[in-house]
Amino acid sequence: MQVREAEAEYHLEVAKTHDFISFFDVRYDLDDRDEMEKAISLEVAFRLPFIHPDRDDILKRRVEYMEAKSDLREVEQQWSDKKESTHRRLSRHLDQYDVLTACKKTGEAVTSYSLYRQMDGVDPLDILKIRQSILETDMHIQKTRFAVLRCFVDLLDLSGKLSTRPLVNYLSATKEGIL
């Protein structure tokens, strides 16, 4: 919006320089004159196109326009970089989640825990350590899952889909609408 406003102000200043007649006046003064041709006066002022006394205003408006355009490009670049960074983070968290869930499925901790619980004479401290390892892995999986969801919501927000109408729950499998 600021870019359009600055551009419009710049074009207005440029258009003002193309106004070659700056003053036009017709007067009729019958009090001091006896003849009608002498009573009428015509005054016209011309602006010469190659002389620009207000060139500073044009340059000022052009600089403002260029600065606003540059600011817009910078904001767009930052937005693009943030979107790309969020996408990379999402990919990284998804890969971590896949690795953690695969390790849990193929891991020996769950199998060892169930075997040790069935055996007699096993130190309860070892069973507790295995159980602690399983719970820590589950907690890490859940933290990674929530990081994936957070990155996904951030990416939806950056793409503009989060605020479009009608509102949609993108986190559900059916993507049902929200009032």
Side-chain angles (χ1 to χ4, degrees):
M1 186 58 112
Q2 290 176 345
V3 174
R4 288 188 203 151
E5 186 178 314
E7 183 179 17
E9 287 177 358
Y10 166 68
H11 289 299
L12 177 66
E13 287 296 327
V14 169
K16 284 181 184 178
T17 62
H18 295 295
D19 184 20
F20 298 117
I21 298 177
S22 63
F23 180 77
F24 183 79
D25 190 21
V26 177
R27 294 184 186 210
Y28 180 75
D29 186 19
L30 196 56
D31 293 339
D32 298 336
R33 310 278 183 212
D34 294 335
E35 297 177 21
M36 188 163 178
E37 289 87 22
K38 293 182 180 179
I40 295 176
S41 66
L42 179 65
E43 297 177 11
V44 179
F46 294 100
R47 181 177 296 159
L48 300 175
F50 52 86
I51 299 175
H52 299 288
D54 55 350
R55 189 77 177 154
D56 293 338
D57 290 338
I58 294 174
L59 292 176
K60 179 182 171 191
R61 297 291 184 210
R62 181 156 176 84
V63 166
E64 288 173 358
Y65 166 62
M66 292 173 68
E67 285 176 350
K69 202 171 182 179
S70 173
D71 290 345
L72 178 64
R73 280 193 199 120
E74 185 176 322
V75 167
E76 287 174 344
Q77 183 63 39
Q78 288 173 352
W79 175 79
S80 177
D81 291 346
K82 187 172 183 180
K83 190 175 176 181
E84 187 178 323
S85 169
T86 304
H87 189 269
R88 281 194 312 264
R89 257 188 317 140
L90 178 62
S91 296
R92 188 179 69 241
H93 287 308
L94 284 170
D95 291 344
Q96 287 175 352
Y97 184 78
D98 290 342
V99 167
L100 287 171
T101 53
C103 285
K104 182 177 178 177
K105 287 178 184 175
T106 61
E108 297 176 11
V110 176
T111 310
S112 300
Y113 178 70
S114 58
L115 288 175
Y116 276 123
R117 284 189 59 205
Q118 294 172 1
M119 293 173 57
D120 289 333
V122 177
D123 187 14
L125 189 58
D126 290 337
I127 295 174
L128 287 175
K129 286 181 183 178
I130 294 171
R131 180 70 180 150
Q132 180 183 6
S133 173
I134 293 170
L135 291 175
E136 286 174 352
T137 302
D138 288 343
M139 283 180 18
H140 197 64
I141 288 172
Q142 289 303 315
K143 285 180 182 179
T144 306
R145 179 178 173 267
F146 286 118
V148 166
L149 293 174
R150 187 179 318 114
C151 285
F152 182 67
V153 169
D154 288 344
L155 201 59
L156 285 172
D157 185 32
L158 288 171
S159 67
K161 290 190 177 233
L162 195 60
S163 60
T164 57
R165 298 273 182 193
L167 297 176
V168 175
N169 183 1
Y170 288 100
L171 298 179
S172 80
T174 59
K175 293 185 177 62
E176 68 271 359
I178 301 172
L179 300 175

